[in-house]
Amino acid sequence: MKPGASLMRHYLQFKDLRAEEYAYLFERTRIIKTRFKNYERYQPLVDRTLAMIFEKASTRTRVSFEAGMYQMGGSVVHLTTGDSQLGRAEPIDDSARVISRMVDLVMIRTYEQTKIAAFAAHSRVPVINGLTNEYHPCQILADIYTYIEHRGGIQGKVVAWVGDGNNMANTWLQAAEILGFTVHVSTPGGYEVDPKVAGISRSDCYKVFADPLDACRGADLVTTDVWTSMGYEAENEQRRQAFAKWCVDTAMMAVAKPDALFMHCLPAHRGEEVSAEVIDGPQSVVWDEAENRLHVQKALMEYLLLGRIG
Ligand code: CP
Ligand code: NVA
């Protein structure tokens, strides 16, 4: 942290920031994105280093954090379980103590949330969650920014979640509680969201529907994710059978609002959780959603390292 900077903050869950901080971040994102599109140099993080630790695969998270840090004038160090001592049982607390003495910011993609929480507890620098089994806050940050770009504010809107009660679903629920919208959740039996794991305190930010079509009725945004998340591959066959009805198709989009958007964090499996007609159709904003990972995370890194600008 910069000498004299305010208290260090981590971004481990969506609820680590308040509604007014999100309003600030979305405005910074708009400014940073516009400058980038105009080829204007903006390098507030010269001499700063981001360590990226990946214990699971990634395309979007890796490229967006790495490109974003370079664009802001900083550098990155990329570590995986296989090419570091993390895979050879060095305690996470020790890794955190060492890595955080050498860099300014750490992004981690791992399995249990307890692991990133342990790292953060022993880190001298801010830690960002790049996906855990329980949460994916950077993705929801990008999704909500994308919704705002296309449709204005998300407050009071209805988001339909069709599929697994996973890290994305949990994070949508946290966001609904903080930003004031409702999530219509439909999952197969046995794959429900657990409000305790989701980390929410109010039950009025979501409604559960047995039939995914009912969840989509009147929705402003329909969204889904893979049937099998990373780390759960052994359940693949069982999930394929359980999730067969949870495919976002044109019938589901037809009962949503006429101007409803479709989002998917990607990677997607056409013909499983979403039909090709929907993901490649006119209501889909998945490419904007993916691109916005870059812009929102630049605003997030700027905020965690430099605080409010101006
Ligand atoms: N959506 C997302 O986090 O993608 P990657 O797994 O490619 O990083
Ligand atoms: N729920 C998915 C998201 C991938 C970006 C997973 O955890 O694998």
Side-chain angles (χ1 to χ4, degrees):
M1 293 292 291
K2 196 176 174 189
S6 52
L7 206 63
M8 180 175 75
R9 305 280 296 276
H10 299 298
Y11 193 57
L12 307 183
Q13 305 188 34
F14 199 86
K15 66 181 179 186
D16 286 343
L17 297 179
R18 300 183 297 273
E20 42 116 0
E21 292 179 295
Y22 281 110
Y24 170 80
L25 276 186
F26 293 141
E27 179 54 15
R28 283 305 297 167
T29 300
R30 191 187 63 74
I31 293 166
I32 288 169
K33 180 172 179 176
T34 305
R35 280 184 180 162
F36 179 71
K37 295 282 180 187
N38 290 337
Y39 277 49
E40 280 174 43
R41 181 173 290 190
Y42 179 58
Q43 300 198 320
L45 300 183
V46 171
D47 291 339
R48 303 279 73 87
T49 306
L50 166 73
M52 305 190 299
I53 301 173
F54 284 98
E55 298 206 286
K56 291 176 178 172
S58 168
T59 297
R60 279 144 289 269
T61 304
R62 165 125 194 227
V63 176
S64 54
F65 270 105
E66 187 159 344
M69 194 60 183
Y70 282 126
Q71 288 160 15
M72 291 201 294
S75 337
V76 299
V77 176
H78 179 247
L79 292 161
T80 66
T81 316
D83 66 12
S84 69
Q85 301 289 5
L86 288 162
R88 298 181 65 253
E90 180 165 11
I92 193 88
D93 305 6
D94 292 355
S95 303
R97 289 183 179 107
V98 172
I99 293 168
S100 71
R101 281 181 179 233
M102 299 178 183
V103 303
D104 302 279
L105 192 58
V106 180
M107 187 287 304
I108 306 180
R109 168 167 286 195
T110 187
Y111 292 87
E112 296 79 19
Q113 184 73 12
T114 49
K115 224 169 161 182
I116 195 170
F119 191 104
H122 295 88
S123 172
R124 286 186 168 190
V125 301
V127 178
I128 298 173
N129 183 344
L131 181 146
T132 56
N133 290 350
E134 290 86 351
Y135 309 116
H136 198 2
C138 292
Q139 182 66 56
I140 301 300
L141 191 60
D143 293 7
I144 293 175
Y145 182 75
T146 306
Y147 188 84
I148 292 169
E149 260 190 335
H150 281 268
R151 295 284 182 264
I154 198 161
Q155 194 175 10
K157 303 289 182 183
V158 171
V159 175
W161 176 264
V162 175
D164 194 11
N166 64 10
N167 44 11
M168 285 290 295
N170 290 336
T171 312
W172 270 115
L173 295 191
Q174 286 197 2
E177 194 166 72
I178 294 164
L179 300 179
F181 58 90
T182 308
V183 185
H184 285 185
V185 181
S186 180
T187 71
Y191 299 94
E192 294 88 354
V193 284
D194 175 344
K196 278 204 194 82
V197 177
I200 52 168
S201 51
R202 290 200 336 251
S203 57
D204 61 345
C205 63
Y206 76 105
K207 287 185 192 148
V208 174
F209 295 82
D211 185 336
L213 201 70
D214 290 334
C216 294
R217 230 174 274 288
D220 298 282
L221 166 63
V222 177
T223 185
T224 186
D225 187 11
V226 290
W227 289 343
T228 305
S229 286
M230 291 180 281
Y232 298 84
E233 289 80 2
E235 300 171 12
N236 210 9
E237 204 33 60
Q238 183 191 326
R239 283 171 173 265
R240 286 170 79 85
Q241 288 173 24
F243 282 79
K245 247 180 75 182
W246 278 261
C247 171
V248 178
D249 55 14
T250 48
M252 290 192 200
M253 292 308 293
V255 298
K257 292 230 177 90
D259 71 342
L261 299 176
F262 171 77
M263 290 190 195
H264 188 311
C265 63
L266 306 175
H269 300 84
R270 288 167 177 78
E272 292 190 9
E273 74 275 7
V274 60
S275 70
E277 289 93 321
V278 169
I279 195 168
D280 299 319
Q283 288 166 284
S284 172
V285 290
V286 296
W287 313 123
D288 291 341
E289 184 188 357
E291 178 191 325
N292 281 333
R293 290 289 302 278
L294 172 71
H295 309 301
V296 295
Q297 288 162 195
K298 285 167 80 175
L300 177 67
M301 291 192 285
E302 179 196 71
Y303 184 58
L304 294 178
L305 288 177
L306 304 178
R308 289 192 191 228
I309 303 294

mmCIF file of all heavy atoms in Angstrom, residues 3 58 68-69 150 167 175 191 234 283:
data_model
loop_
_atom_site.group_PDB
_atom_site.id
_atom_site.type_symbol
_atom_site.label_atom_id
_atom_site.label_comp_id
_atom_site.label_asym_id
_atom_site.label_seq_id
_atom_site.Cartn_x
_atom_site.Cartn_y
_atom_site.Cartn_z
ATOM 1 N N PRO A 3 2.378 4.607 1.128
ATOM 2 C CA PRO A 3 2.467 5.174 2.469
ATOM 3 C C PRO A 3 1.386 6.246 2.633
ATOM 4 O O PRO A 3 1.170 7.059 1.736
ATOM 5 C CB PRO A 3 3.872 5.789 2.507
ATOM 6 C CG PRO A 3 4.620 5.118 1.407
ATOM 7 C CD PRO A 3 3.616 4.704 0.379
ATOM 8 N N SER A 58 -8.083 -20.774 -16.652
ATOM 9 C CA SER A 58 -8.731 -19.492 -16.938
ATOM 10 C C SER A 58 -8.307 -18.968 -18.300
ATOM 11 O O SER A 58 -7.169 -19.134 -18.714
ATOM 12 C CB SER A 58 -8.331 -18.449 -15.891
ATOM 13 O OG SER A 58 -8.735 -17.163 -16.313
ATOM 14 N N GLY A 68 -4.951 -5.650 -18.189
ATOM 15 C CA GLY A 68 -5.360 -4.462 -17.431
ATOM 16 C C GLY A 68 -4.209 -3.866 -16.640
ATOM 17 O O GLY A 68 -4.023 -2.647 -16.611
ATOM 18 N N MET A 69 -3.429 -4.733 -16.009
ATOM 19 C CA MET A 69 -2.313 -4.233 -15.195
ATOM 20 C C MET A 69 -1.250 -3.585 -16.090
ATOM 21 O O MET A 69 -0.737 -2.505 -15.782
ATOM 22 C CB MET A 69 -1.729 -5.393 -14.378
ATOM 23 C CG MET A 69 -0.811 -4.952 -13.270
ATOM 24 S SD MET A 69 -1.661 -3.887 -12.071
ATOM 25 C CE MET A 69 -0.339 -3.467 -10.981
ATOM 26 N N HIS A 150 -26.150 -1.187 -20.911
ATOM 27 C CA HIS A 150 -27.194 -1.444 -21.904
ATOM 28 C C HIS A 150 -28.550 -0.889 -21.516
ATOM 29 O O HIS A 150 -29.335 -0.494 -22.368
ATOM 30 C CB HIS A 150 -27.325 -2.953 -22.150
ATOM 31 C CG HIS A 150 -26.255 -3.490 -23.053
ATOM 32 N ND1 HIS A 150 -26.404 -3.588 -24.413
ATOM 33 C CD2 HIS A 150 -25.010 -3.926 -22.768
ATOM 34 C CE1 HIS A 150 -25.295 -4.077 -24.944
ATOM 35 N NE2 HIS A 150 -24.424 -4.293 -23.972
ATOM 36 N N ASN A 167 -21.040 -20.778 -7.525
ATOM 37 C CA ASN A 167 -20.333 -19.538 -7.182
ATOM 38 C C ASN A 167 -20.961 -18.299 -7.828
ATOM 39 O O ASN A 167 -21.045 -17.241 -7.198
ATOM 40 C CB ASN A 167 -18.839 -19.652 -7.541
ATOM 41 C CG ASN A 167 -18.572 -20.284 -8.900
ATOM 42 O OD1 ASN A 167 -19.484 -20.481 -9.707
ATOM 43 N ND2 ASN A 167 -17.316 -20.613 -9.158
ATOM 44 N N ALA A 175 -25.074 -9.608 -4.551
ATOM 45 C CA ALA A 175 -25.222 -8.336 -5.281
ATOM 46 C C ALA A 175 -26.650 -7.814 -5.167
ATOM 47 O O ALA A 175 -26.871 -6.606 -5.002
ATOM 48 C CB ALA A 175 -24.838 -8.529 -6.744
ATOM 49 N N TYR A 191 -29.358 -29.102 -6.127
ATOM 50 C CA TYR A 191 -28.345 -28.109 -6.541
ATOM 51 C C TYR A 191 -28.796 -26.692 -6.157
ATOM 52 O O TYR A 191 -28.390 -25.704 -6.768
ATOM 53 C CB TYR A 191 -28.094 -28.210 -8.050
ATOM 54 C CG TYR A 191 -27.565 -29.572 -8.441
ATOM 55 C CD1 TYR A 191 -28.435 -30.573 -8.865
ATOM 56 C CD2 TYR A 191 -26.214 -29.872 -8.353
ATOM 57 C CE1 TYR A 191 -27.970 -31.834 -9.195
ATOM 58 C CE2 TYR A 191 -25.731 -31.135 -8.682
ATOM 59 C CZ TYR A 191 -26.620 -32.109 -9.103
ATOM 60 O OH TYR A 191 -26.148 -33.359 -9.427
ATOM 61 N N ALA A 234 -16.048 -34.821 -11.526
ATOM 62 C CA ALA A 234 -16.431 -36.214 -11.237
ATOM 63 C C ALA A 234 -17.955 -36.388 -11.268
ATOM 64 O O ALA A 234 -18.449 -37.499 -11.458
ATOM 65 C CB ALA A 234 -15.882 -36.634 -9.876
ATOM 66 N N GLN A 283 -30.491 -10.886 -28.146
ATOM 67 C CA GLN A 283 -30.595 -10.438 -26.748
ATOM 68 C C GLN A 283 -29.328 -10.728 -25.949
ATOM 69 O O GLN A 283 -29.173 -10.269 -24.815
ATOM 70 C CB GLN A 283 -31.800 -11.108 -26.070
ATOM 71 C CG GLN A 283 -33.124 -10.544 -26.570
ATOM 72 C CD GLN A 283 -34.295 -11.414 -26.170
ATOM 73 O OE1 GLN A 283 -34.525 -12.469 -26.759
ATOM 74 N NE2 GLN A 283 -35.031 -10.990 -25.167
#
